[in-house]
């Protein structure tokens, strides 16, 4: 149980375009979903926290208008990187929690902006 | 503010040897503590967690960790390392009372290399 999927696993897009990443909790209802960014050989940096039906809470320094987060249902959250630039290239990981403290992580999405 | 320190960036051990990965945390209240493992290009898998109770917790894959409040530590141990244990290990701390929307703060990770 407690499986989280992400789609796509890898995406390459051109500079200036937008790309959407989906995060789904497959076998539980996620009251809260988290989006992280991980640079090579670096730790996870929390970007934002989203609760179902509410606006996401962004961490300091994360551009809300660039990283759009939608948590429309208890099993789906999306991260849209708008007007992507090469510096947005990274590994994006989502996680989800239900009614316990434990977070379950997705397998990650490798974004490359050319 | 909560923080996690993993003093060792990279550790190399021989297969069959024992392992201890260090983790020190800073948190103003009762911490919830976690150890995660990440293989290259993959997400994070939970090894074990501490919420309360017995300070020695057992996890998957033969790992265990001990919570020592006096030392603000939560070190991860394994008595005999297998080649498949080679990966990046992250320690994380969260609020014990569900504060801050259950956010976790991660350490910078320790890369484990296992020699045959």
């Amino acid at each position: 149980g407690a499986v989280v999927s992400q789609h796509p696993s890898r995406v390459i897009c051109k500079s200036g375009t937008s790309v959407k990443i989906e995060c789904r909790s497959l076998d539980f209802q996620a009251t809260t979903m988290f989006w992280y960014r991980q640079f090579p050989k670096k730790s996870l940096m929390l970007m934002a926290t989203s609760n179902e039906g509410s606006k996401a809470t962004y961490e300091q320094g994360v551009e809300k208008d660039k990283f759009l987060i939608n948590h429309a249902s208890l099993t789906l959250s999306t991260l849209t990187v708008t007007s992507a630039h090469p510096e947005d290239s990274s590994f994006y990981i989502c996680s989800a929690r239900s009614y316990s403290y434990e977070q379950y992580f997705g397998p990650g999405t490798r974004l490359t902006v050319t | 503010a909560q923080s996690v320190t993993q003093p060792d960036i990279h550790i190399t051990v021989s297969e069959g040897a024992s392992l201890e990965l260090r983790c020190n945390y800073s948190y103003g209240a009762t911490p919830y503590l976690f150890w995660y493992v990440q293989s290259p290009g993959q997400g994070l898998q939970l090894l074990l967690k501490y919420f309360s109770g017995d300070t020695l917790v057992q996890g998957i894959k033969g790992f265990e960790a001990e919570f020592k409040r006096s030392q603000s530590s939560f070190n991860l141990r394994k008595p005999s390392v297998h080649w498949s244990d080679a990966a990046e290990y992250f320690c994380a701390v969260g609020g014990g009372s569900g504060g801050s929307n259950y956010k976790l703060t991660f350490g910078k990770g320790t890369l484990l290399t296992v020699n045959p």
Side-chain angles (χ1 to χ4, degrees), chain A residues 2 4 25 27-34 51 71 74 95-104, chain B residues 101-102:
Chain A
V4 176
S25 56
D27 51 3
F28 67 101
Q29 292 185 327
T31 54
T32 310
M33 286 185 165
F34 304 85
N51 293 297
H71 191 166
L74 283 172
S95 70
R97 59 166 286 273
S98 58
Y99 299 103
S100 71
Y101 204 104
E102 190 169 331
Q103 291 184 27
Y104 301 94
Chain B
N101 273 330
Y102 301 88

Side-chain angles (χ1 to χ4, degrees), chain B residues 11-76:
Chain B
I11 284 182
T12 299
V13 299
S14 298
E15 191 169 16
S18 63
L19 171 71
E20 182 170 36
L21 302 181
R22 295 183 291 165
C23 171
N24 292 97
Y25 70 90
S26 174
Y27 190 75
T30 303
Y32 284 2
L33 295 159
F34 306 81
W35 274 100
Y36 288 90
V37 61
Q38 183 182 34
S39 297
Q42 301 295 315
L44 276 69
Q45 181 183 23
L46 179 68
L47 288 175
L48 48 77
K49 62 189 180 227
Y50 172 79
F51 287 174
S52 65
D54 192 347
T55 57
L56 183 63
V57 293
Q58 303 296 321
I60 63 171
K61 303 185 180 186
F63 285 94
E64 67 177 26
E66 186 170 12
F67 170 57
K68 293 185 177 180
R69 185 186 297 275
S70 62
Q71 299 177 20
S72 297
S73 69
F74 189 58
N75 295 346
L76 181 72

Side-chain angles (χ1 to χ4, degrees), chain A residues 72-97:
Chain A
S73 77
L74 283 172
T75 60
L76 173 65
S77 176
T78 60
L79 168 67
T80 301
V81 183
T82 63
S83 186
H85 290 282
E87 56 265 31
D88 298 325
S89 298
S90 193
F91 193 56
Y92 292 88
I93 304 176
C94 73
S95 70
R97 59 166 286 273

Side-chain angles (χ1 to χ4, degrees), chain A residues 32-48:
Chain A
T32 310
M33 286 185 165
F34 304 85
W35 287 95
Y36 296 84
R37 183 172 179 176
Q38 186 178 33
F39 293 96
K41 300 188 184 299
K42 297 291 185 182
S43 185
L44 280 75
M45 181 192 79
L46 180 65
M47 299 174 65

Side-chain angles (χ1 to χ4, degrees), chain B residues 3-8 22-26 91 106-108:
Chain B
S3 66
V4 176
T5 301
Q6 293 181 246
D8 305 305
R22 295 183 291 165
C23 171
N24 292 97
Y25 70 90
S26 174
C91 181
F106 286 83
K108 293 185 182 299

